Amino acid sequence: MKRNRLIMLALIILSMTFASYYGGSISYFLLFFAFVLPGVSLIYMFYVYAKLRVHQTIGSRTVYKGENTDYHFSLGNENRVPFTGVRLTFLSQLSTVRDLEENQNYCLLPGDLVAKNTTVCCHYRGEYRVGIDSIVVTDFLNLFQKKPYIDKDKCIRCGICVNSCPVPGKAVDFKKGRKEPPVYDYKK
């Protein structure tokens, strides 16, 4: 990502130099292109982030140590724009999702649905989260990436993010009351 940013910066500097020394419509077109392309890439990343559909289910809510249970997740693109640079990471400290590559990048064409049926094995007793840990969306130039999180140092526990969460079932919620910051739940 850092390499791509440096290349883009070099392209902007070279196009500015070319436009200042030679002028003309081609050099100014290159300069305009070099300035607009990162902005379009950033807008695209936020669009993919807003429109990506993720759903996951687990076969049983009660799983014993070492037992495998069914696990299903799906990624969907219901738009007319292809989605590139979608990466999922899975919770792996307390459980293992079988037959899936960690940090695999997905590319979804319009109307595509990627559905994976596998099993999850829990390593310990108790209640804890299993499945998708995070969803990272990267733009098509690999300049920017977006992952939802809540900054616990800046959170004032006002509840605006909880009330305005667009995900059905509220992906952002106060798990321990207003004494702790809200938690983003990637399972919803």
Side-chain angles (χ1 to χ4, degrees):
M1 186 172 295
K2 187 181 279 188
R3 179 181 58 94
N4 290 5
R5 289 179 181 172
L6 290 174
I7 291 171
M8 185 55 68
L9 181 63
L11 177 67
I12 289 172
I13 291 171
L14 286 174
S15 63
M16 287 173 60
T17 305
F18 185 66
S20 66
Y21 282 114
Y22 298 107
S25 60
I26 293 174
S27 61
Y28 284 109
F29 174 75
L30 290 174
L31 180 64
F32 176 75
F33 184 73
F35 274 113
V36 169
L37 192 60
V40 170
S41 183
L42 183 67
I43 291 169
Y44 168 80
M45 181 200 58
F46 281 113
Y47 179 79
V48 170
Y49 184 76
K51 298 295 184 176
L52 181 69
R53 298 291 171 241
V54 179
H55 179 72
Q56 64 179 345
T57 57
I58 190 163
S60 174
R61 296 206 37 95
T62 305
V63 181
Y64 298 101
K65 177 181 174 183
E67 178 185 3
N68 290 329
T69 187
D70 293 333
Y71 174 70
H72 168 81
F73 82 91
S74 61
L75 297 172
N77 179 2
E78 301 169 354
N79 296 286
R80 295 181 180 165
V81 179
F83 291 172
T84 61
V86 177
R87 188 176 70 239
L88 301 176
T89 58
F90 293 91
L91 293 163
S92 60
Q93 293 177 343
L94 302 174
S95 63
T96 303
V97 178
R98 309 250 186 224
D99 303 325
L100 288 178
E101 294 180 28
E102 186 70 23
N103 293 326
Q104 180 180 357
N105 282 325
Y106 293 94
C107 177
L108 302 169
L109 295 174
D112 271 0
L113 178 71
V114 175
K116 302 283 184 174
N117 292 315
T118 184
T119 59
V120 64
C121 179
C122 298
H123 303 302
Y124 302 100
R125 293 185 332 181
E127 292 184 15
Y128 48 87
R129 295 179 23 199
V130 297
I132 297 173
D133 181 33
S134 66
I135 303 166
V136 179
V137 176
T138 307
D139 66 314
F140 57 86
L141 294 176
N142 203 16
L143 296 173
F144 312 103
Q145 67 180 2
K146 177 79 172 127
K147 174 185 173 187
Y149 72 95
I150 297 172
D151 190 350
K152 295 180 181 182
D153 296 331
K154 294 181 181 179
C155 179
I156 59 171
R157 296 155 187 82
C158 65
I160 291 175
C161 60
V162 174
N163 294 333
S164 64
C165 178
V167 177
K170 296 294 180 191
V172 180
D173 200 8
F174 289 104
K175 300 291 182 192
K176 299 178 181 176
R178 290 202 181 229
K179 294 179 183 176
E180 293 289 323
V183 177
Y184 191 92
D185 187 3
Y186 290 100
K187 295 185 289 183
K188 295 188 179 184

